[in-house]
Amino acid sequence: MSFLFSRSNKTFKPKKNIPEGSHQYELLKHAEATLGSGNLRQAVMLPEGEDLNEWIAVNTVDFFNQINMLYGTITEFCTETSCSVMSAGPRYEYHWADGTNIKKPIKCSAPKYIDYLMTWVQDQLDDETLFPSKIGVPFPKNFMSVAKTILKRLFRVYAHIYHQHFDSVMQLQEEAHLNTSFKHFIFFVQEFNLIDRRELAPLQDLIEKLGSKDR
C-alpha cells in the first residue's frame, strides 16, 4: 500500500471527522478552546457534568488525527530501508498483532507497523458499537480497555518519531508542533491513568522534562 506524500496534505490516513452539530463536536470545540489558554494540565481535565467515556472518545479521535498528520510529514524518511524494524531507540522493538487478522506478533518494518496500527485504530474509531457518535447511544462495557489499547499503540508512533526521526522533524521545523502534541497526549493519559508506566519507558526522560516544566 503506498501513500501519496505532499506538503499540503500532511496526513498519512484520511482524517477522522467528528460530525458537526453533535455533542462530541461541541466537546471537541471546548477542548480546542481550553488548549488555547496554554494550561495543558487544566485543558485535559474532564469538563464539569460531562461523561468520561465521551471525553476520552473525543480526545482519542483528536490524537489519532494529530499523530496521523505528524507521521504524514515524515513518511518519506521512514522507509523499509531506514526503519526495517519498528523501534523506539535500541532497547525497544515492537511486533504487530491485532488479535483478529494477525494473532501471533510479527516483526515488520516501521512503515508497515504504523500502517497496520493506524488502519486498526481507524477501524475501531469507525465502529459505531465501540465509538457511538449519536446522542443517547451508550458506550460498550469494554470501551475503556479498547481506548487504552488504542492510546498505548498511538504512543508508539510518537516514540518512533522521537527516537528515529527527530532530526527530520527539526529540518522540517515541526518540533514545536510535535512537542505540543506529545505534551497534550501525555498529560491526557496521565490525568486518566490510561497507559501503564512501563509502556511509557521509551520516552520517560522527555515525559519527566515536559512535566517538570509545567510544575
Side-chain angles (χ1 to χ4, degrees):
M1 201 181 291
S2 66
F3 295 89
L4 287 172
F5 175 83
S6 79
R7 290 261 181 258
S8 59
N9 179 24
K10 294 176 180 174
T11 62
F12 175 61
K13 295 276 179 190
K15 190 170 183 279
K16 170 76 181 161
N17 290 314
I18 289 175
E20 213 167 317
S22 67
H23 183 61
Q24 290 188 8
Y25 186 79
E26 297 309 314
L27 268 184
L28 182 65
K29 288 285 153 234
H30 170 86
E32 285 168 0
T34 47
L35 274 176
S37 73
N39 185 339
L40 282 173
R41 285 268 179 227
Q42 216 174 332
V44 298
M45 290 175 182
L46 179 67
E48 208 175 322
E50 293 298 345
D51 176 65
L52 178 61
N53 286 344
E54 197 156 31
W55 182 238
I56 287 173
V58 164
N59 281 278
T60 301
V61 170
D62 192 34
F63 290 128
F64 168 78
N65 286 333
Q66 285 184 43
I67 293 165
N68 197 3
M69 201 162 81
L70 287 162
Y71 184 67
T73 63
I74 56 109
T75 44
E76 61 184 322
F77 310 108
C78 186
T79 65
E80 300 281 332
T81 317
S82 68
C83 302
S84 58
V85 293
M86 174 62 179
S87 63
R91 289 175 54 207
Y92 301 96
E93 190 176 298
Y94 301 111
H95 296 177
W96 178 256
D98 58 16
T100 344
N101 301 321
I102 299 170
K103 290 192 169 75
K104 198 177 166 196
I106 56 166
K107 186 173 179 169
C108 56
S109 68
K112 189 113 187 104
Y113 184 100
I114 293 169
D115 183 19
Y116 279 138
L117 187 157
M118 296 302 266
T119 303
W120 177 83
V121 172
Q122 208 169 21
D123 289 345
Q124 311 305 301
L125 299 181
D126 287 341
D127 185 342
E128 279 287 327
T129 64
L130 286 175
F131 280 78
S133 59
K134 293 174 183 70
I135 290 181
V137 178
F139 282 85
K141 286 189 172 66
N142 66 334
F143 172 75
M144 202 58 86
S145 74
V146 171
K148 284 179 175 180
T149 304
I150 290 173
L151 293 164
K152 175 181 78 176
R153 289 178 173 174
L154 287 176
F155 167 81
R156 295 170 182 177
V157 185
Y158 281 120
H160 179 73
I161 294 172
Y162 271 111
H163 277 283
Q164 314 303 134
H165 300 293
F166 197 65
D167 287 351
S168 304
V169 169
M170 284 174 73
Q171 272 175 350
L172 296 165
Q173 297 180 323
E174 288 281 347
E175 68 268 32
H177 181 191
L178 173 65
N179 289 340
T180 305
S181 173
F182 181 63
K183 188 175 182 178
H184 179 202
F185 177 88
I186 280 302
F187 283 11
F188 186 81
V189 298
Q190 286 175 337
E191 173 72 13
F192 303 106
N193 200 16
L194 297 167
I195 301 181
D196 190 288
R197 196 180 156 84
R198 284 169 309 180
E199 283 284 339
L200 301 173
L203 294 177
Q204 197 50 50
D205 291 350
L206 176 63
I207 292 167
E208 280 168 18
K209 206 158 108 185
L210 291 173
S212 66
K213 275 184 186 171
D214 221 67
R215 281 188 194 117

